[in-house]
Amino acid sequence: MSPASPRQGRVGPLAAHPGESPALDVDALIDDPQTRIIVCCGSGGVGKTTTSAALALRAAERGRKVVVLTIDPARRLAQSMGIEELDNTPRPVADVDATAGGSLDAMMLDMKSTFDEVVLSQATPEKARAILENPFYIVLSTSFAGTQEYMAMEKLGQIHADAQERGTYDLIVVDTPPSRSALDFLDAPERLSSFLDGRFIRLMLAPAKGPAKLMTAGLGLVTGALTKVLGAQVLTDLQTFVAALDTVFGGFRTRAQRTYALLQAPGTAFVVVAAPEPDALREAAYFVERLNGDRMPLAGLVVNRASPEPRGKLSAEEALAAAERIEARRGAGATGELTAGLLRLHADRMRSLAREAALRARFTAAHPGVATAVVPALASDVHDLRGLRRVGELLARR
């Protein structure tokens, strides 16, 4: 996305002072009808799933027709939205305030079901049945490295196409796997193309005529050796599976590439989620650089579970000095010990705040202009809509 794009102007500096990151205007982002897709990404354990659900709920209660798709295998999203089980079918979330005319559905990617849908849409019933029952297909569709990301691209493309055609949703919120896997989410079309265009696949599909006879003869020697090791049935299953690749996956490859282009479009916004920890912010920086390099539209950074600001303004040094004076005083008693302990806890909180501020300042220095929202940690885990609403309020606070 070019520096002069409208989105960057909308989520750029809003009330920042020199040396500070601009504020991420979450409500402007979700209220903008041009925002059609929000992709939340980040490393594991930073509250990315909760952030995705909170954004989706807030958007729905502000009038958008929203579906949230989680690709993270955790089941916390279903629990927080009061749904017993999420699957590949969007399910309405009850108790959403629809006063503004919005709605919210939630779903979890089922990569096997999505893969099956691709096969059924691309092959004849007879060929589809043969593929679905093939042992190599079963392994590929359930546990092959990268399959989850490939199917995430497919499902996102399906939902977007359906929304465009039928008007079912005007906003899709996507919760991706942890950061490094989310890079696979971006790389899925290229990796799939490389796999399908690989030398082994071309040999298996090569016709036995012309120059290809030499390749086929060489392949025959290899398959002969493999037959002795693996057995004839295994080789037959493999050849049957490979023979179907061109028919089934050519269309998927085209759609995956189309979805990749969709992720680069102005209607998409990436939100990077991180915790105020060195490793998480390092991952966030890596992802921001990758998104910028691939010209993906970055909305901003959410620093989640930050230390809450204390009500008092007593510095850590002042609190420690006061605690030491109380402890040094003879006859302070239980009340004095309690006061000194609270002062030391306050000092620890102030040191944590200073450390987190320094980490954010380091990120801002390396990536100036990345809009940021800081969400303080809650006293308990989010497990219902009330908790998600509170997270949404904190996200939108500026």
Side-chain angles (χ1 to χ4, degrees):
M1 195 172 194
S2 65
S5 66
R7 183 177 303 286
Q8 286 188 335
R10 174 162 54 80
V11 300
L14 296 171
H17 301 290
E20 294 182 359
S21 60
L24 175 60
D25 192 339
V26 168
D27 283 345
L29 178 68
I30 61 179
D31 289 347
D32 186 349
Q34 298 302 314
T35 302
R36 311 287 296 187
I37 298 171
I38 296 176
V39 182
C40 293
C41 46
S43 56
V46 298
K48 179 169 50 61
T49 299
T50 300
T51 300
S52 302
L55 283 171
L57 177 62
R58 188 169 182 85
E61 295 189 332
R62 292 174 69 89
R64 304 294 299 271
K65 293 186 292 183
V66 188
V67 58
V68 56
L69 166 64
T70 181
I71 304 168
D72 191 323
R75 298 286 170 174
R76 287 173 45 245
L77 179 64
Q79 296 168 358
S80 64
M81 292 188 164
I83 300 173
E84 290 185 5
E85 191 75 16
L86 284 180
D87 56 22
N88 227 30
T89 302
R91 299 181 182 277
V93 178
D95 299 325
V96 172
D97 184 354
T99 304
S103 63
L104 176 60
D105 287 357
M107 62 186 297
M108 178 178 289
L109 177 73
D110 182 333
M111 63 181 182
K112 177 66 166 61
S113 297
T114 304
F115 221 137
D116 291 351
E117 291 170 5
V118 175
V119 172
L120 292 169
S121 68
Q122 295 295 307
T124 63
E126 295 77 13
K127 181 170 283 189
R129 191 180 311 110
I131 295 170
L132 294 176
E133 295 173 357
N134 187 282
F136 285 92
Y137 169 77
I138 294 172
V139 172
L140 178 68
S141 61
T142 56
S143 57
F144 190 75
T147 299
Q148 187 181 53
E149 287 73 31
Y150 299 155
M151 292 303 105
M153 297 288 283
E154 174 67 25
K155 180 54 66 176
L156 174 58
Q158 288 177 5
I159 296 172
H160 182 264
D162 186 66
Q164 292 288 93
E165 181 180 346
R166 300 168 51 196
T168 48
Y169 307 110
D170 57 33
L171 178 62
I172 304 167
V173 180
V174 182
D175 167 35
T176 64
S179 179
R180 299 289 177 170
S181 296
L183 293 179
D184 292 339
F185 180 82
L186 298 178
D187 290 335
E190 182 179 352
R191 291 175 60 193
L192 182 61
S193 298
S194 298
F195 171 68
L196 292 176
D197 294 334
R199 181 179 301 176
F200 175 74
I201 299 300
R202 293 202 307 271
L203 284 174
M204 294 290 281
L205 295 173
K209 59 183 180 179
K213 283 186 176 181
L214 294 176
M215 291 191 297
T216 306
L219 184 61
L221 295 175
V222 175
T223 55
L226 288 175
T227 300
K228 294 178 181 178
V229 176
L230 302 176
Q233 185 58 49
V234 173
L235 261 297
T236 300
D237 290 338
L238 176 59
Q239 289 169 335
T240 301
F241 174 65
V242 171
L245 282 176
D246 260 2
T247 300
V248 175
F249 296 108
F252 170 62
R253 176 169 53 190
T254 300
R255 290 197 304 278
Q257 290 169 337
R258 189 161 55 239
T259 304
Y260 186 82
L262 177 65
L263 293 176
Q264 292 179 310
T268 299
F270 280 82
V271 174
V272 180
V273 184
E277 299 294 338
D279 289 345
L281 283 170
R282 193 177 302 115
E283 286 284 307
Y286 179 67
F287 210 111
V288 165
E289 292 164 6
R290 171 64 194 275
L291 290 171
N292 288 334
D294 284 7
R295 300 179 66 80
M296 296 287 180
L298 173 64
L301 170 73
V302 171
V303 180
N304 201 19
R305 298 174 183 166
S307 297
E309 290 278 352
R311 294 184 179 180
K313 297 300 182 183
L314 196 67
S315 71
E317 292 75 16
E318 291 170 334
L320 285 175
E324 290 172 357
R325 286 195 299 271
I326 292 174
E327 290 169 345
R329 189 184 309 155
R330 293 183 179 181
T335 301
E337 292 178 3
L338 176 61
T339 302
L342 291 174
L343 285 167
R344 290 189 180 278
L345 287 175
H346 176 82
D348 289 341
R349 171 73 61 81
M350 297 302 291
R351 282 196 292 256
S352 294
L353 285 169
R355 179 181 61 84
E356 292 174 11
L359 288 171
R360 293 199 303 272
R362 187 183 306 167
F363 179 94
T364 300
H367 305 281
V370 175
T372 303
V374 179
V375 180
L378 299 180
S380 59
D381 288 338
V382 175
H383 58 273
D384 54 18
L385 289 186
R386 181 179 179 182
L388 288 175
R389 286 191 186 98
R390 178 57 181 155
V391 174
E393 292 169 358
L394 293 171
L395 279 166
R397 185 186 63 177
R398 307 210 315 273

